[in-house]
Amino acid sequence: MTATLKDEAGSRHGSHSIQVRPLSAAVGAEIAGVNLARINDAQFAAIENAWTNHSALLFRGQQLDHDALLSFSRRFGELDPPPVNENGKKFVDGYPDIYVVSNIIGADGTPIGSLGAGEAVWHTDMSYLSEPPDASLLYAVEIPPSGGDTWLCGMIAACKSLPAALRDAVKDRSIKHDGTYNSGGYLRAGLTASDDPVNSVGTPHPIICVHPPSGKPTLYLGRRRNAYVVGLPRDESEALLDELWAHASRPEHSFAHRWRIGDVLMWDNRTTLHRRDPFDASARRLMYRTQIKGKAKPRRAF
Ligand code: SIN
């Protein structure tokens, strides 16, 4: 089903026609008919409306230099600096807000970016901060011939379909979100390795939060590794987290995105999880990512 800008925004802004096509039942929409390097306010209003409704947006066939990527990203708010990661180079020279996700090895023998070629497990970005980023945008510059798909999982849908007993068990609780490792399993630079979820570095957030733009309740899970349900004995915390993750990551809540060069995929960190398939380490993959600063701490829904 494709909706026009008129359908989504409630009014037709000028003569522009932006099409909005849902990518799955639970999360995501593709936006067609827009050049992100040259959008006007009316087009942005329609994009923002789709953003509130779908939690993840895909734009195909874009050609963005660093300034254009930054300027489109900044329409959503102030930017957050990239996360602290393993030892790969963190950001593009001269552009400290553009994080490099890549397995490519530079002329000096070190990786030009983060996350290598392995699997990146389900997570939401930088949830170990007290004010995590609202959103992330990923722009595909080089992609491998196969593998490296990015999966998205819709947490508003996962929250809605929670079995009553599980909802009751988590609705007043918080998870401590670990900051020790990134989603590729790498230890963040400067931190001490730890598999103790109670004492490792991290921040607690409510499990069921409100998504401010839509007012809908959403699950906020972060990463599974080193997560801890605050106040529970460790074994009970592990059992509850296993049940919660098994429910949230059910196939009907998610879809896989197969990349093409020029794709921009953006996701709402408050309402989605994402993960990445591994790919052949001898192939090249280069993505540029920006992060939209959180406008508030995650807030309990009930
Ligand atoms: C990320 O987790 O931000 C990167 C995902 C990807 O490389 O597809």
Side-chain angles (χ1 to χ4, degrees):
M1 184 185 69
T2 298
T4 62
L5 182 155
K6 184 172 183 239
D7 294 332
E8 282 275 329
S11 64
R12 183 172 290 280
H13 302 276
S15 58
H16 305 287
S17 171
I18 289 179
Q19 292 86 44
V20 181
R21 183 181 66 86
L23 290 167
S24 76
V27 63
E30 180 177 344
I31 308 285
V34 66
N35 174 356
L36 297 184
R38 266 187 275 119
I39 59 166
N40 59 38
D41 290 346
Q43 290 173 317
F44 184 69
I47 290 171
E48 216 177 11
N49 191 60
W51 173 240
T52 299
N53 293 335
H54 296 282
S55 284
L57 299 179
L58 168 66
F59 306 87
R60 298 270 196 196
Q62 303 298 317
Q63 286 187 300
L64 302 178
D65 61 20
H66 297 323
D67 290 313
L69 176 62
L70 287 174
S71 121
F72 175 64
S73 304
R74 286 193 178 115
R75 280 193 169 257
F76 291 87
E78 198 184 334
L79 302 188
D80 244 352
V84 177
N85 250 346
E86 72 267 19
N87 292 324
K89 204 173 128 202
K90 215 169 111 174
F91 54 80
V92 176
D93 282 338
Y95 291 88
D97 289 328
I98 302 184
Y99 177 53
V100 184
V101 176
S102 184
N103 66 317
I104 298 170
I105 305 296
D108 65 357
T110 62
I112 67 162
S114 294
L115 284 182
E119 181 185 2
V121 298
W122 284 122
H123 67 286
T124 190
D125 291 327
M126 298 158 74
S127 64
Y128 49 87
L129 301 178
S130 75
E131 290 191 11
D134 282 351
S136 303
L137 288 85
L138 200 57
Y139 174 48
V141 177
E142 292 188 62
I143 55 165
S146 63
D149 293 2
T150 301
W151 292 68
L152 285 166
C153 194
M155 295 291 100
I156 290 177
C159 190
K160 198 169 172 189
S161 63
L162 271 177
L166 188 50
R167 174 178 294 263
D168 284 348
V170 300
K171 74 177 172 33
D172 299 322
R173 297 210 169 265
S174 294
I175 290 174
K176 177 168 162 278
H177 293 238
D178 175 71
T180 314
Y181 301 98
N182 72 13
S183 52
Y186 298 97
L187 180 66
R188 293 183 197 281
L191 294 185
T192 307
S194 169
D195 283 314
D196 173 359
V198 181
N199 296 306
S200 67
V201 60
T203 307
H205 296 297
I207 297 178
I208 302 185
C209 294
V210 68
H211 175 227
S214 66
K216 292 181 180 162
T218 181
L219 281 178
Y220 192 61
L221 301 187
R223 284 174 179 71
R224 176 64 186 88
R225 184 171 184 182
N226 271 2
Y228 170 62
V229 182
V230 178
L232 287 186
R234 174 84 188 272
D235 57 342
E236 287 181 32
S237 165
E238 291 295 312
L240 188 53
L241 287 168
D242 284 347
E243 196 181 348
L244 203 47
W245 276 89
H247 169 80
S249 57
R250 273 170 26 191
E252 64 268 31
H253 300 143
S254 66
F255 77 94
H257 173 59
R258 173 94 280 268
W259 289 95
R260 293 182 207 154
I261 289 170
D263 285 353
V264 172
L265 181 66
M266 61 183 294
W267 56 80
D268 192 320
N269 280 308
R270 300 162 295 189
T271 53
T272 61
L273 295 170
H274 59 281
R275 57 170 287 266
R276 183 192 75 191
D277 287 338
F279 57 98
D280 177 358
S282 65
R284 291 168 63 100
R285 189 175 188 269
L286 173 61
M287 307 278 185
Y288 293 132
R289 196 181 95 183
T290 54
Q291 299 78 216
I292 316 299
K293 198 183 263 308
K295 289 167 199 64
K297 289 186 183 170
R299 185 163 54 82
R300 194 176 297 285
F302 309 109

